[in-house]
Amino acid sequence: MSTRTIAFFGATGGCANSCLAKTIEHGFNAIALVRSPEKLKGQLSDRKVSIDVVEQRLVIVKDDVRDAEAVGKVLDNDGKGVDVIISGIGGIPTPQFSLLRPLTMTDPNICGDAVDCILSVMAQSKLPKQPLLVVISGNGVRNDGPRDYPLILTSLYRWLLADIYDDKRRMEASLMKTKPAGGFVIVRASPLTDGPSKGVEVIRQGTMQQPVLGYSVSRDDVGLWLFDNLVRQEGTPLFLNGDVSITY
């Protein structure tokens, strides 16, 4: 069994939830901040994670990611600290009456607010450890590098997702500016699906300088990639203080 502890924010979201399930099933400890512990427990049950594993390996803190005291409680972890932070925070897309920006989120500032709060706590608190901060973003968020999505999807990224991606750009800007002591990794996924896992071996990965172009990747496989590359593997991650794009 590993002594490493992984902190999760947005653990009821598909990608982070998939990673959390694999984390505790493989003997790692986890602590998750969620607004609905019962929802999280139900999701883990649906993934066939045993009650014993949940009780032995997972600590659940009920609160909001904008609450600095709650975030500090998670990262302190009763004085033991955490080794990696996985943030899958995001809102639910919802239509709005706008031709220029037809989609927004139920909480359009949640990604930026969440990471700002996490970074503030990391900078101002005397934490037992300096953890690696991993955030889930998306292909097409950055505009200052080679195109990282198929040309046919341009309208999706530049029009339909424009409002949603503004929040993710703010999140990424905060990371780039603050550069937490434990380092960070931005994971850019292709459009997410609820399809079954195909296995980590079929996931392609690239960087902003050498992107991989793809049409989709399942939430389950994003979680699997996170677990295999940023939870299971100790030491310096390959994409430290940078980004990685993943797709099928």
Side-chain angles (χ1 to χ4, degrees):
M1 297 293 181
S2 174
T3 59
R4 280 159 55 87
T5 299
I6 315 302
F8 286 85
F9 298 95
T12 56
C15 300
N17 190 258
S18 168
C19 184
L20 170 59
K22 292 172 178 62
T23 295
I24 59 177
E25 283 182 319
H26 284 80
F28 294 84
N29 297 315
I31 181 168
L33 179 67
V34 294
R35 288 179 292 182
S36 175
E38 292 308 313
K39 178 179 179 180
L40 177 58
K41 291 177 183 178
Q43 290 175 326
L44 294 174
S45 176
D46 290 343
R47 291 184 181 275
K48 310 302 181 185
V49 181
S50 74
I51 295 176
D52 287 345
V53 168
V54 172
E55 291 180 346
Q56 293 171 14
R57 292 291 165 187
L58 176 61
V59 173
I60 301 176
V61 177
K62 181 180 179 180
D63 216 310
D64 189 273
V65 72
R66 289 187 173 103
D67 187 318
E69 183 177 349
V71 171
K73 180 179 180 179
V74 170
L75 300 188
D76 179 75
N77 188 27
D78 287 333
K80 299 185 291 291
V82 300
D83 298 278
V84 180
I85 302 167
I86 304 288
S87 177
I89 291 289
I92 300 173
T94 184
Q96 63 180 356
F97 291 104
S98 171
L99 289 177
L100 295 178
R101 293 176 173 239
L103 277 183
T104 185
M105 289 194 297
T106 50
D107 191 340
N109 299 305
I110 186 59
C111 295
D113 287 352
V115 166
D116 282 347
C117 187
I118 294 169
L119 289 170
S120 176
V121 169
M122 292 174 72
Q124 297 177 19
S125 302
K126 294 182 179 179
L127 299 176
K129 299 178 181 179
Q130 293 294 338
L132 172 72
L133 175 55
V134 179
V135 299
I136 302 172
S137 188
N139 285 351
V141 170
R142 288 185 63 178
N143 296 319
D144 57 349
R147 175 171 48 81
D148 59 349
Y149 53 86
L151 184 61
I152 196 172
L153 297 183
T154 298
S155 62
L156 172 70
Y157 287 105
R158 296 299 178 220
W159 174 61
L160 195 62
L161 298 177
D163 199 55
I164 294 173
Y165 273 13
D166 279 350
D167 188 28
K168 293 190 181 295
R169 290 187 184 100
R170 178 189 155 202
M171 172 186 74
E172 294 189 10
S174 292
L175 271 176
M176 297 293 188
K177 179 180 178 180
T178 304
K179 295 181 179 177
F184 67 89
V185 176
I186 299 172
V187 179
R188 305 182 188 282
S190 283
L192 299 170
T193 75
D194 290 322
S197 172
K198 297 181 180 180
V200 71
E201 64 276 1
V202 303
I203 298 176
R204 297 180 294 129
Q205 62 188 42
T207 64
M208 277 300 293
Q209 290 69 40
Q210 294 181 313
V212 290
L213 309 185
Y215 293 92
S216 68
V217 64
S218 77
R219 291 175 173 86
D220 276 0
D221 276 337
V222 172
L224 177 59
W225 188 94
L226 290 168
F227 173 73
D228 272 7
N229 290 274
L230 299 171
V231 173
R232 190 204 300 257
Q233 292 187 14
E234 300 188 29
T236 303
L238 183 62
F239 305 99
L240 183 65
N241 295 333
D243 48 37
V244 52
S245 57
I246 59 175
T247 190
Y248 288 143

